[in-house]
Amino acid sequence: DVKVTQSSRYLVKRTGEKVFLECVQDMDHENMFWYRQDPGLGLRLIYFSYDVKMKEKGDIPEGYSVSREKKERFSLILESASTNQTSMYLCASSRAGRGEQYFGPGTRLTVT
Amino acid sequence: GDSVTQMEGPVTLSEEAFLTINCTYTATGYPSLFWYVQYPGEGLQLLLKATKADDKGSNKGFEATYRKETTSFHLEKGSVQVSDSAVYFCALRTSGTYKYIFGTGTRLKVLA
C-alpha cells in the first residue's frame, strides 16, 4: 500500500514564526503536491513538484515556499506565519502519467 | 479553465436509502475523473475513478459513469450505511498536466 505521512497532525504556531511542514511518501512517486483545505473552498493547490528540485506554483502560492531535495520528501515552508494561514494542509503524491493521487492524513495548523 | 461543480451539501439520508451526488465538469481535452472520500479527521482516499468516456468506476458499492455527452460523473450507491458518512469530492485531471481540479465537497450524513 502507498503510504504518505505528514510530520504532525496538529500544530500551533505564533504569528511571524517560520513553519515547516514535512511530507514523506514511500512509493517512489515522481509527483508531490501541497494543498490547503478550508470549509466551503474545497482543496486549493499551493505548490507541486514533478521531480527532485523541481517545483511549480499552484493557485495560491503567496506566503509559502517548498523544498524537494530528495524524491520521497516534500516540505512546505511558511516563511512568516499569519493568522490567515490557519488551515488544514494536505500532502499528496502520484506517479508520473498515472491518474490517482494518494493523500496523507493532513496537518491542522493554527496560527495565533 | 477546467472546473468541477458538485452538489451542495449536507445530504442527510436514512440507512439503506439510495444515494446520488451530482458532479459535472468543464475541461479541455479528455480528463480522467475521480471520486475521493474524506472521513472525519483523515486525508482523502480514492474511492473510484474512470479514465475515458462510458467507463464505469466502482468500489465498496459506489458507482459512477463517465458521461462525456453530459460532462457528468455522478456518484451513486444503492443502499447507504452509517459508516458511509463522510465528505465526498469529485475531481478531474486533464491529460498532459500535473494538476488536479477538485469540487468543493459534499458532506453526507447517514442516520441509523
Side-chain angles (χ1 to χ4, degrees):
Chain A
D1 270 358
V2 174
K3 195 158 187 181
V4 180
T5 57
Q6 295 183 228
S7 49
S8 306
R9 293 298 299 272
Y10 300 93
L11 209 51
V12 180
K13 295 292 183 181
R14 293 193 182 275
T15 301
E17 279 193 84
K18 191 168 186 175
V19 181
F20 293 86
L21 303 182
E22 300 234 306
C23 175
V24 177
Q25 50 93 4
D26 66 357
M27 283 302 290
D28 203 36
H29 283 173
E30 291 80 9
N31 302 330
M32 296 188 75
F33 307 78
W34 276 107
Y35 295 91
R36 64 177 283 175
Q37 181 180 19
D38 300 288
L41 297 177
L43 274 69
R44 293 182 290 168
L45 181 65
I46 305 171
Y47 268 97
F48 67 96
S49 168
Y50 50 91
D51 202 350
V52 175
K53 297 191 187 296
M54 306 304 290
K55 62 187 179 186
E56 286 204 20
K57 293 181 181 179
D59 301 314
I60 52 163
E62 298 78 19
Y64 303 95
S65 62
V66 290
S67 171
R68 192 166 180 203
E69 298 296 318
K70 293 185 178 182
K71 191 174 185 180
E72 68 271 18
R73 189 179 296 269
F74 192 35
S75 301
L76 180 69
I77 302 152
L78 287 66
E79 297 289 344
S80 177
S82 64
T83 55
N84 63 13
Q85 292 178 310
T86 291
S87 186
M88 169 71 89
Y89 290 88
L90 293 168
C91 176
S93 71
S94 72
R95 279 211 186 284
R98 285 291 302 274
E100 63 267 33
Q101 290 181 305
Y102 296 85
F103 282 83
T107 296
R108 186 166 293 282
L109 173 67
T110 302
V111 183
T112 62
Chain B
D2 296 352
S3 66
V4 172
T5 303
Q6 59 182 107
M7 61 190 289
E8 296 270 342
V11 174
T12 303
L13 296 173
S14 299
E15 205 165 24
E16 299 183 4
F18 185 86
L19 168 71
T20 300
I21 300 178
N22 290 338
C23 172
T24 57
Y25 67 90
T26 303
T28 53
Y30 301 96
S32 296
L33 302 174
F34 310 90
W35 277 101
Y36 287 85
V37 59
Q38 185 178 33
Y39 298 103
E42 298 184 13
L44 278 68
Q45 302 173 25
L46 179 68
L47 183 58
L48 52 84
K49 67 178 182 180
T51 57
K52 61 183 188 298
D54 300 325
D55 267 3
K56 178 186 279 189
S58 62
N59 185 25
K60 300 181 182 179
F62 291 89
E63 291 183 342
T65 301
Y66 189 141
R67 302 280 187 206
K68 188 166 179 286
E69 63 277 11
T70 54
T71 61
S72 65
F73 192 54
H74 305 321
L75 182 68
E76 296 182 336
K77 187 176 186 183
S79 176
V80 293
Q81 305 300 311
V82 172
S83 56
D84 294 326
S85 298
V87 181
Y88 293 82
F89 292 90
C90 185
L92 68 81
R93 176 175 177 265
T94 305
S95 58
T97 75
Y98 299 103
K99 287 187 67 173
Y100 295 75
I101 309 296
F102 286 83
T104 53
T106 302
R107 182 175 299 278
L108 171 65
K109 186 172 183 179
V110 180
L111 304 176

